[in-house]
Amino acid sequence: MKSCTLRGASLKNVRIHSLRSCELAHARLDGVDLTGADLSRTNFYGATLLNCTLEGVKALGADIRDVKGLTTEQRALLVAAGARTHATWQEPLPAPLQGALSALLLPLGAALVLGLTVAALSLPSAPAEPKVASPAGWMPSVDADTETQSQLQDFRLGIAAAHENLKGRGGRSYPTLEEVQANHYDLDGDGPGQALGVLFPKGLPRNLLSPGEGSVLPYCNATPDQLTLSEEDVDWHYCPETGRVLASAGHTLEPTLDW
């Protein structure tokens, strides 16, 4: 797989030979065999890797910040294979650039007679908690918070009704992601027939905290975090395995994880 988007996906007991430049932030990998796999430049930020086999992997430029489930040995193995545990903008400047920066800053300090020290000229450290900028020109309405909570309840009621209809039919008990996005589902699940039922009679519920419209992303991380719900232009996060629905904060940093 190359340049694939598997954000929030759940992979279990599979063998993967290559995951190059892929997006697996907040994904969950359980019992995945990655022996000798090429993981170059793949983003595993906030992912969970449980009982995975990582011997011989290539991980140049892979992002393993905040990855959970790794043993000390596995983390060291990934770092030795080229994975990074910090943001790229925190990496030190190459020596030539450091020299050029000093050449520019020292005359400036002398001209201004500020007596600046090298410490005063150092780059600012990363903020303790990432802040996500809102898209330019977009602001939520004053009643966006309460209205979105009401829409979220409508979404969950639609999923709950489908769950009752699907129980014991066709091997699954919740609508698929594609069915949710299309606002209809097969009443007998994966059975041989097809009879469609509507999930949301009024249409897909709207999240007024998000500038995105009518979008749903898969998200099955067992321990979801607010940052994930705040950094996507998407309305909802849905897990087809459990029927869980979470509202995106839409760059507003609202505490939607508690709803």
Side-chain angles (χ1 to χ4, degrees):
M1 291 186 282
K2 183 177 180 181
S3 302
C4 53
T5 300
L6 295 169
R7 182 183 186 86
S10 180
L11 306 176
K12 187 173 183 179
N13 299 331
V14 295
R15 171 76 169 100
I16 295 178
H17 297 276
S18 179
L19 273 174
R20 296 184 60 192
S21 302
C22 287
E23 173 61 56
L24 272 82
H26 304 288
R28 181 181 180 85
L29 281 67
D30 190 350
V32 175
D33 186 356
L34 293 164
T35 304
D38 187 352
L39 310 179
S40 301
R41 296 180 297 282
T42 286
N43 179 21
F44 289 99
Y45 176 77
T48 300
L49 275 65
L50 295 174
N51 307 311
C52 294
T53 306
L54 299 168
E55 283 73 14
V57 296
K58 305 175 185 68
L60 184 63
D63 186 349
I64 60 169
R65 291 177 296 152
D66 200 29
V67 169
K68 305 170 185 66
L70 293 175
T71 65
T72 303
E73 293 76 13
Q74 287 177 323
R75 188 174 295 275
L77 184 152
L78 287 170
V79 171
R84 56 187 178 85
T85 57
H86 54 275
T88 54
W89 46 267
Q90 290 178 298
E91 295 175 357
L93 292 173
L97 290 182
Q98 288 180 348
L101 183 63
S102 298
L104 288 172
L105 291 176
L106 290 177
L108 176 62
L112 296 176
V113 199
L114 295 178
L116 297 176
T117 62
V118 174
L121 292 172
S122 62
L123 294 174
S125 59
E129 186 173 324
K131 300 296 182 182
V132 185
S134 297
W138 177 83
M139 288 290 291
S141 61
V142 292
D143 60 346
D145 194 306
T146 55
E147 180 62 25
T148 299
Q149 291 191 52
S150 175
Q151 295 283 320
L152 176 61
Q153 291 308 311
D154 289 344
F155 198 127
R156 288 172 172 166
L157 286 173
I159 297 299
H163 174 61
E164 288 300 316
N165 287 331
L166 285 170
K167 278 198 294 189
R169 301 182 183 183
R172 60 182 172 88
S173 56
Y174 291 101
T176 66
L177 176 67
E178 292 74 17
E179 288 175 331
V180 169
Q181 292 170 335
N183 193 20
H184 57 67
Y185 68 105
D186 191 347
L187 291 168
D188 73 343
D190 296 326
Q194 186 178 50
L196 298 181
V198 176
L199 283 167
F200 315 110
K202 299 178 183 178
L204 183 70
R206 177 76 174 91
N207 181 340
L208 300 182
L209 290 173
S210 169
E213 294 186 9
S215 48
V216 185
L217 278 184
Y219 186 43
C220 289
N221 197 344
T223 53
D225 62 90
Q226 187 60 47
L227 178 60
T228 300
L229 305 183
S230 303
E231 62 183 3
E232 297 282 359
D233 284 333
V234 62
D235 279 347
W236 313 106
H237 298 260
Y238 172 67
C239 180
E241 297 175 6
T242 63
R244 186 186 66 196
V245 184
L246 297 171
S248 167
H251 298 314
T252 66
L253 300 183
E254 290 288 334
T256 58
L257 186 61
D258 301 330
W259 293 356

